[in-house]
Amino acid sequence: MKALSFIISGRTAHFKRPDVNEHTYFTYSHIHKMTIYGIIGAVIGLRGYNDQDKALYPEFYEKLKNLEIAIVPIGSLQGRFRKKVHVFNNSVGYANTDSGMGQNLIVREQWLENVKWEIVLNLDSLEDIELKDKMVNHFMNNICVFIPYLGKNDHPAVISDVKMMDVEPIESEKIDSLFIKEDFELDGDSEEDQLPYLFQDQFPIGIDEQLFYIKKDACLTNQFINKTKQKIYLVDEKYITFI
C-alpha cells in the first residue's frame, strides 16, 4: 500500500468546537480529519465553504472524503497538548452588533500550544489518480496554492519531513495513533514501566448534508489491544491505524 507521510506543527492551534458557551470558544484537543482535508485542499487549491455555490459539499470535502488518514501526536503528555485561554479584542463592524461606534467584541479562545503531529495518508483509498498525483507533487515539492493553517489564519501550519512509503499490515498489541473507539478493544494493561492512560474525545470524521460534523469517539492510549476491527500498520517505528 502506498502512503504519504508528513509532519505538521505550529506554535499554537485552534480547532473550534461547535459546543461553546457564551464566554469562551473551545478547541478540539487534536487536529482532526476535517481539518486535515481542509489543509490538503489549501495545498492543492481546492475550493472551500465560501466557494461552495450550489454544490452539496465544499469541493475539498467532495474530492477527499474517502481519503483515509492516520494521526500520530508527537510530544503530547498522555494524549494532551497544553491549552491556554487567550483574550483579545475584535473591533471590526460585523463582529459586534452593539449600538454606538468604536465598540469592541471581547473574544476568549482556548488555544493549543506547541503542537505537532505525524500525518499519514493512505493513497490507495483515493481513487482519483490525477488528484492523487497532484497531491503528492505539491507535498513533495513544498508547493501550496493557499496558506495552510491550524484551524484559523492566526495559527500558521509548518509542514515538514514529507515522504512516500510502502506500508503493510502488521500484528500488534499497541497503537500509537488516534483511533475510533468502537474499532478496538483494550485490556487495561500497559508496559510495566508505564502507567496506563486513555485519552478520549468526540472527533469530527465527516460532514452531513446540512454541513454539520459527523462525530465519533476517538482515543489515544498506551494500553494493550485485545481485539481490533481495523488493520494496524508500522510506520517510522509507530503503530498506526487509518480513520
Side-chain angles (χ1 to χ4, degrees), residues 193-207:
D193 60 341
Q194 298 178 358
L195 290 174
Y197 71 85
L198 174 64
F199 165 85
Q200 181 176 324
D201 195 3
Q202 276 205 327
F203 271 20
I205 61 166
I207 53 177

Side-chain angles (χ1 to χ4, degrees), residues 152-172:
K152 291 178 59 182
N153 55 13
D154 301 310
H155 314 285
V158 178
I159 297 174
S160 60
D161 298 332
V162 182
K163 52 193 171 186
M164 290 283 294
M165 60 183 68
D166 293 304
V167 296
E168 298 295 336
I170 189 171
E171 294 292 330
S172 174

Side-chain angles (χ1 to χ4, degrees), residues 6-110:
F6 59 90
I7 302 295
I8 189 163
S9 60
R11 188 173 61 85
T12 57
H14 175 78
F15 308 115
K16 185 179 178 181
R17 303 183 69 110
D19 44 334
V20 301
N21 64 20
E22 60 180 320
H23 300 297
T24 306
Y25 294 97
F26 294 106
T27 179
Y28 286 103
S29 299
H30 290 280
I31 195 170
H32 54 76
K33 197 173 183 180
M34 289 302 302
T35 297
I36 297 170
Y37 284 161
I39 289 171
I40 296 171
V43 169
I44 63 179
L46 299 180
R47 296 190 301 273
Y49 292 99
N50 293 336
D51 300 313
Q52 189 174 340
D53 297 326
K54 295 182 180 180
L56 179 59
Y57 298 117
E59 184 184 28
F60 78 89
Y61 183 71
E62 182 63 43
K63 292 193 172 183
L64 298 172
K65 61 185 178 183
N66 294 321
L67 178 63
E68 295 179 344
I69 297 171
I71 305 168
V72 184
I74 299 174
S76 64
L77 179 61
Q78 294 187 346
R80 294 170 173 82
F81 291 106
R82 182 178 177 182
K83 295 178 181 178
K84 183 181 292 185
V85 173
H86 292 255
V87 182
F88 54 91
N89 293 335
N90 188 342
S91 58
V92 297
Y94 56 80
N96 194 316
T97 57
D98 292 341
S99 60
M101 300 297 292
Q103 300 276 353
N104 283 332
L105 174 67
I106 307 300
V107 178
R108 295 168 56 89
E109 281 186 350
Q110 185 185 54

Side-chain angles (χ1 to χ4, degrees), residues 104-167:
N104 283 332
L105 174 67
I106 307 300
V107 178
R108 295 168 56 89
E109 281 186 350
Q110 185 185 54
W111 292 2
L112 302 174
E113 296 187 337
N114 299 316
V115 293
K116 191 175 186 180
W117 299 272
E118 181 174 4
I119 307 299
V120 186
L121 310 178
N122 177 4
L123 297 178
D124 288 0
S125 64
L126 197 61
E127 295 183 357
D128 189 329
I129 296 176
E130 183 178 349
L131 181 66
K132 185 189 310 184
D133 290 343
K134 183 177 183 180
M135 186 171 68
V136 171
N137 177 61
H138 278 232
F139 274 94
M140 294 294 291
N141 294 288
N142 197 27
I143 301 170
C144 292
V145 178
F146 306 111
I147 298 174
Y149 49 85
L150 297 172
K152 291 178 59 182
N153 55 13
D154 301 310
H155 314 285
V158 178
I159 297 174
S160 60
D161 298 332
V162 182
K163 52 193 171 186
M164 290 283 294
M165 60 183 68
D166 293 304
V167 296

